[in-house]
Amino acid sequence: MHSILEEDLELIIKSDIAWENYRNKTILITGATGLIGSLLVKTFVRFNRISQGNVLIIAVVRNGEKAKRILGEELKEAEVKVYVGDITEDIYIEEDIDYIFHTASVTASKIMVENPVETIEVSYQGTNNILKLARQKSVKGMVYVSSMEAYGISNPELEFVEEKDLGYIDLANVRSSYSEGKRICECLCTAYMSEYQVPVTIARLAQTFGAGILETDNRVYAQFAKSVIDEKDIILHTDGLSEGNYCYTRDVIRGLLILGYLGESGQAYNVVNSESHMQIREMAQLVAEKVSDGKIKVIYDIPDNPLKYGYAPPVKMHLSSRKINALGWKAEVGLEEAYKRMIADMKEGIQ
């Protein structure tokens, strides 16, 4: 375990989470080999070790070998059980379940563009099956991990985008398989809450990165970080005017844990550091100037049609964290520190 990530996990355990809600409980986590899912598994394992939490963790994955690679240390623990299967098919779990964190989703833009049908199927059918399971097991709480992309293109005149301020999604763009998939899943969560009283809360995550990102991650923040490590210039393939909303991994995990027992059923909450908001080009400049200490620069190489490469449509949107702040959550790690911690963690993995 890398020291930066270990420090983050311990800080989560020592934070203001009401851990008694999870003590002696069974937690099911889908997408347990993804960034958010794997960090949730690791967090609960540390809770068991540090605070004798006695939590049974059921990690739902599609690929058992990948689980061994990403969760190798955690899988040695008796409190971790792995369920290997496809969530778009029927799921059978023998144990009672107290809480569910549904993080499974397609996250690679290339897949969204090349396999839009499968992207939608994973979203809708997978979420429907997990909600059925939540109903069957009479869970105490469920968190559906959605995305800020569910907003689409919001009204650019809004100073802050609140949870009610949904915008336009272009259904003729195949990449909308992801964003529209998130919307229908949120609607499905609300339907299960209304019709079957399933206590499900929706977490709309800002772009999340930090210690713990996977070696295979190739999203923009990972590319920027690798540019710093390799001392190579950052190359932007768009004009970079699109506005980004970000949150550090440790802060996101804390937010999800709070929503698990405190979030209002059927409600959506932005999980975002509202102060970490800037244009992509501004973030690239920050990384080049401050994180790399000026050792690299930003270069623009813009193709004729950026959308065909899977880049999200440009947006002007500043997400508000007011609603989740009212539950007692507040982001702690700013953008510059997030990059420095992530890069230090990545370097530990290289050594």
Side-chain angles (χ1 to χ4, degrees), residues 234-251:
I234 292 173
I235 300 176
L236 290 184
H237 297 297
T238 70
D239 58 18
L241 293 176
S242 189
E243 296 181 4
N245 296 271
Y246 307 98
C247 202
Y248 185 64
T249 41
R250 184 176 84 218
D251 288 330

Side-chain angles (χ1 to χ4, degrees), residues 58-65 67 81-87 93:
I58 301 176
V60 179
V61 303
R62 281 192 306 169
N63 187 317
E65 290 304 312
K81 288 191 173 185
V82 176
Y83 176 95
V84 180
D86 187 339
I87 62 170
I93 303 292

Side-chain angles (χ1 to χ4, degrees), residues 22-26 47-49 51-56 79:
Y22 296 118
R23 188 177 298 279
N24 303 317
K25 300 298 191 301
T26 298
F47 175 53
N48 283 346
R49 289 182 187 171
S51 303
Q52 292 73 52
N54 192 35
V55 173
L56 174 62
E79 299 92 346

